[in-house]
Amino acid sequence: MNKIRVALAAAVLFVTTTTAVQAQAPLKIGYTSVEYVLSQMPESKQIESDLKAYSGQLEAQLKSKYAEYQTKAKAYETGAATMPDPVKADKEKELTNLQQSIQEFQRSADQSLQQKQQTLLKPALDKLQKTIDAVADENGYTYILNSDGGGGSPVLLHGPKDGDVSDLILKKMGVTPGAAQAAPAKAAPVAPAATPAATPSKTKVKTKK
């Protein structure tokens, strides 16, 4: 199961201090793996299930469009030799439009899937942020960093084990650290059912590969 890469608003989760005593206290820095914590949260299974179902709906629509294209392309190829030129030109235009529609749907479906993922993740991320704030306040942490790779490399390159607050965050949410939970699936591009048959050369439209 692929681990999810969460694009947070900032690579460093900043926790502010509010009292003069806290402001004068020694700097204390902790870190956590957002990916690990999310994978342990009960919400992760539902997020994965919902994302998979949504992806399935988009793929079904895409397959339907491909089937329509292939049916009409086959009919064109079968009857092209006997078609009057105006009818032939009309059929070629229809096939070109269908092919462009499929390609546009593919692009919009990928964007829609990413947006759906963000929508599903938002409540879990909000809950995680509130819990991180609470853990930081209760344990005197001034900053908590995200140890996951963000932008190609993790924010935290080295840190002591006792600085890892991941388990504290999970316990604060009532989750047993290390419990077997599946991480939410990363939103993968909607895969086409098949490569559409090339439109007649007269249309000069290349098949998307």
Side-chain angles (χ1 to χ4, degrees), residues 53-76:
Y54 188 71
S55 177
Q57 293 174 8
L58 293 175
E59 288 185 4
Q61 293 180 51
L62 186 58
K63 287 180 180 179
S64 177
K65 288 180 176 292
Y66 269 106
E68 179 186 5
Y69 176 90
Q70 291 170 341
T71 297
K72 292 186 176 182
K74 185 176 181 180
Y76 170 86

Side-chain angles (χ1 to χ4, degrees), residues 185-196:
K186 184 176 182 179
V190 177
T195 302

Side-chain angles (χ1 to χ4, degrees), residues 89-131:
D90 185 65
K91 294 295 184 182
E92 290 174 352
K93 182 178 180 180
E94 181 182 18
L95 288 173
T96 299
N97 290 338
L98 280 173
Q99 189 180 51
Q100 292 173 346
S101 175
I102 289 170
Q103 293 172 351
E104 178 58 33
F105 182 85
Q106 175 84 55
R107 289 190 291 270
S108 65
D110 290 342
Q111 293 174 358
S112 180
L113 192 59
Q114 294 295 332
Q115 291 172 354
K116 182 68 172 180
Q117 182 192 37
Q118 292 174 9
T119 299
L120 291 172
L121 277 170
K122 189 177 186 308
L125 289 174
D126 288 345
K127 177 181 177 181
L128 175 56
Q129 181 64 67
K130 290 179 181 179
T131 307

Side-chain angles (χ1 to χ4, degrees), residues 100-206:
Q100 292 173 346
S101 175
I102 289 170
Q103 293 172 351
E104 178 58 33
F105 182 85
Q106 175 84 55
R107 289 190 291 270
S108 65
D110 290 342
Q111 293 174 358
S112 180
L113 192 59
Q114 294 295 332
Q115 291 172 354
K116 182 68 172 180
Q117 182 192 37
Q118 292 174 9
T119 299
L120 291 172
L121 277 170
K122 189 177 186 308
L125 289 174
D126 288 345
K127 177 181 177 181
L128 175 56
Q129 181 64 67
K130 290 179 181 179
T131 307
I132 288 174
D133 292 343
V135 167
D137 289 341
E138 292 173 4
N139 295 274
Y141 286 97
T142 313
Y143 297 95
I144 293 182
L145 310 179
N146 180 13
S147 60
D148 297 329
S153 61
V155 173
L156 180 72
L157 299 178
H158 177 77
K161 179 61 181 175
D162 58 6
D164 187 348
V165 298
S166 298
D167 289 351
L168 288 176
I169 294 169
L170 288 169
K171 290 175 182 178
K172 185 69 175 178
M173 290 189 287
V175 178
T176 301
Q181 296 283 352
K186 184 176 182 179
V190 177
T195 302
T199 52
S201 58
K202 186 176 180 179
T203 63
K204 298 183 180 179
V205 176
K206 295 182 180 179

